[in-house]
């Protein structure tokens, strides 16, 4: 959908909705306009065609920001349907809750989702030159692992039917319908050992410092990515990740392969450290606003038990 962003609509929205004017608007206008593209195959170059749509590729920060500004009206539309949402670049997630024991509540939830998706599709195609990709649209129902999932029918989006799945990927994390995270851990272990085997094959040709850089780049970064979601999981699931970390230590140095000597925290402590780091950022206004708004510092009304500095 990023390639379908119309420059004229985007510039109008930046000016009218977000009041971007003056030099800032002129800079963005210059950034988007007078762009062209051509294709080269076997030394032959096609004719040059002007680009009047699309966010320029390679702009890791500005490209996503411009797309979010372009689709900002979707937020009001989704709120009107009394649904929660989360936007990241061109990924849109809709959330709603319902009771598994109430058929009427289930029917209402299905109707709300379908109505919201219908309005989103209409908003995209009518005046914003976008298209909802139903091939990548997924439906996932979270429920307790101690009870059967609700029999939710397929969701209708235009002429397509979206059937419920038992797992879905969300920005690199695989969520299963009971939030056991076992599928995600399985993917991490599989990918990490694949990279460890490749690093082990070339270990004798590189020094220890280089081996550690490779391990951090391809293995430990996977263990640490969104690892706060793994807090309080069963020990046997955490041990699967710990086996990866132990193997990584042996690849770096088979003689001094303890985590303590490498100054590495065990997996469980790495998770706790990540959560504490997020808390620190929230308390010191260093975290994103969507996290800061969710958490509030508890301040008791009575402070008689607190120690105070002695007065002179």
């Amino acid at each position: 959908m990023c390639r379908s962003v119309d420059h004229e609509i985007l510039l109008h929205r930046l000016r009218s909705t977000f009041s971007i004017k003056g030099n800032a608007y002129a800079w963005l206008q210059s950034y988007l306009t007078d762009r062209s593209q051509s294709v080269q195959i076997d030394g032959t170059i096609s004719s040059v065609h002007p680009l009047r749509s699309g966010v320029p590729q390679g702009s890791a920060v500005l490209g996503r920001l411009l797309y979010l500004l372009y689709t900002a009206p979707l937020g009001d539309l989704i709120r009107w349907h009394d649904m929660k949402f989360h936007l990241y670049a061109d990924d849109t997630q809709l959330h709603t809750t319902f009771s598994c024991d109430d058929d009427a509540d289930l029917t209402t939830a299905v109707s709300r989702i379908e109505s919201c998706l219908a309005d989103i599709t209409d908003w995209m195609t009518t005046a914003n030159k976008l298209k909802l990709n139903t091939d990548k649209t997924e439906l996932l129902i979270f429920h307790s692992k101690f009870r059967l999932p609700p029999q939710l029918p397929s969701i209708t989006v235009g002429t397509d039917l979206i059937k419920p799945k038992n797992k879905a990927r969300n920005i690199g994390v695989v969520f299963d319908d009971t939030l056991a995270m076992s599928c995600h851990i399985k993917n991490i272990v599989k990918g990490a050992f694949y990279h460890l085997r490749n690093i082990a094959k070339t270990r004798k040709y590189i020094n220890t410092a280089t081996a550690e850089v490779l391990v951090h780049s391809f293995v430990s970064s996977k263990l640490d990515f969104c690892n706060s979601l793994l807090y309080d999981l069963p020990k046997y699931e955490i041990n699967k990740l710990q086996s990866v970390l132990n193997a990584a230590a042996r690849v770096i140095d088979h003689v001094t392969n303890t985590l303590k000597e490498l100054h590495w925290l065990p997996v469980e402590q790495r998770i706790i450290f990540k959560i504490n780091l997020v808390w620190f950022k929230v308390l010191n206004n260093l975290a994103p606003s969507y996290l800061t708004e969710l958490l509030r510092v508890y301040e008791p009304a009575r402070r008689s038990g607190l120690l105070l500095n002695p007065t002179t």
Side-chain angles (χ1 to χ4, degrees):
M1 290 192 297
C2 289
R3 293 189 295 271
S4 303
V5 171
D6 185 90
H7 293 168
E8 185 177 347
I9 297 175
L10 174 58
L11 290 171
H12 173 74
R13 191 156 291 158
L14 293 176
R15 185 175 60 252
S16 60
T17 304
F18 299 100
S19 300
I20 298 178
K21 302 176 182 178
N23 291 334
Y25 178 81
W27 182 80
L28 289 171
Q29 185 180 36
S30 174
Y31 178 70
L32 292 170
T33 55
D34 295 329
R35 288 183 172 271
S36 60
Q37 72 172 14
S38 60
V39 179
Q40 180 176 349
I41 301 177
D42 295 332
T44 303
I45 303 177
S46 69
S47 57
V48 177
H49 292 273
L51 286 178
R52 297 186 177 88
S53 64
V55 174
Q57 299 299 308
S59 53
V61 177
L62 188 57
R64 296 189 181 100
L65 179 60
L66 288 176
Y67 182 81
L68 289 175
L69 294 175
Y70 187 82
T71 57
L74 278 177
D76 295 331
L77 188 151
I78 297 172
R79 293 187 193 95
W80 187 84
H81 286 277
D82 195 25
M83 294 188 66
K84 296 181 180 180
F85 64 95
H86 183 75
L87 305 176
Y88 180 79
D90 59 346
D91 291 328
T92 303
Q93 302 167 20
L94 306 180
H95 310 275
T96 190
T97 58
F98 59 89
S99 174
C100 297
D101 302 321
D102 191 339
D103 292 338
D105 194 21
L106 173 59
T107 302
T108 301
V110 172
S111 177
R112 185 188 305 123
I113 295 172
E114 291 182 337
S115 178
C116 183
L117 289 174
D119 285 349
I120 289 175
T121 302
D122 182 68
W123 181 89
M124 286 183 168
T125 57
T126 301
N128 293 278
K129 300 182 180 181
L130 298 175
K131 183 180 183 297
L132 180 64
N133 192 342
T134 54
D135 293 335
K136 294 184 178 180
T137 301
E138 297 177 306
L139 175 62
L140 182 62
I141 309 167
F142 295 113
H143 61 90
S144 171
K145 64 180 180 180
F146 301 108
R147 62 185 304 169
L148 294 175
Q151 297 301 315
L152 187 67
S154 300
I155 299 297
T156 302
V157 183
T159 58
D160 298 309
L161 292 178
I162 310 299
K163 297 181 179 180
K165 294 187 175 183
N166 58 4
K167 61 181 179 180
R169 183 178 294 275
N170 177 18
I171 314 178
V173 179
V174 179
F175 288 92
D176 54 85
D177 52 4
T178 61
L179 291 178
M181 306 303 292
S182 55
C183 294
H184 179 61
I185 291 176
K186 181 179 179 180
N187 284 355
I188 292 177
V189 172
K190 181 180 179 181
F193 274 121
Y194 169 80
H195 290 297
L196 279 177
R197 285 192 294 270
N198 289 336
I199 296 172
K201 292 177 182 178
T202 60
R203 178 63 185 90
K204 61 182 178 180
Y205 303 109
I206 57 178
N207 57 33
T208 301
T210 303
E212 189 168 357
V213 170
L214 290 174
V215 167
H216 285 314
S217 300
F218 293 101
V219 180
S220 61
S221 59
K222 295 181 181 295
L223 298 178
D224 293 335
F225 180 70
C226 292
N227 63 349
S228 57
L229 297 172
L230 308 179
Y231 178 74
D232 206 28
L233 286 183
K235 201 76 173 179
Y236 67 87
E237 293 286 7
I238 301 299
N239 287 340
K240 296 176 184 177
L241 300 177
Q242 187 62 50
S243 66
V244 173
L245 199 65
N246 295 340
R250 289 192 294 271
V251 167
I252 292 176
D253 194 334
H254 67 278
V255 179
T256 58
N257 58 6
T258 64
L259 301 182
K260 183 177 180 180
E261 291 168 336
L262 290 171
H263 303 286
W264 289 2
L265 289 172
V267 171
E268 188 171 6
Q269 276 65 47
R270 294 167 88 99
I271 295 172
I272 295 174
F273 175 79
K274 174 66 73 63
I275 294 174
N276 289 336
L277 179 62
V278 172
W279 262 110
F280 174 83
K281 291 183 177 180
V282 168
L283 294 175
N284 292 274
N285 295 320
L286 301 173
S289 58
Y290 66 85
L291 286 178
T292 306
E293 293 169 358
L294 289 174
L295 301 175
R296 187 171 54 126
V297 178
Y298 172 69
E299 296 183 358
R302 300 182 61 185
R303 295 176 173 268
S304 57
L306 298 181
L307 296 176
L308 303 176
N309 292 329
T311 58
T312 56

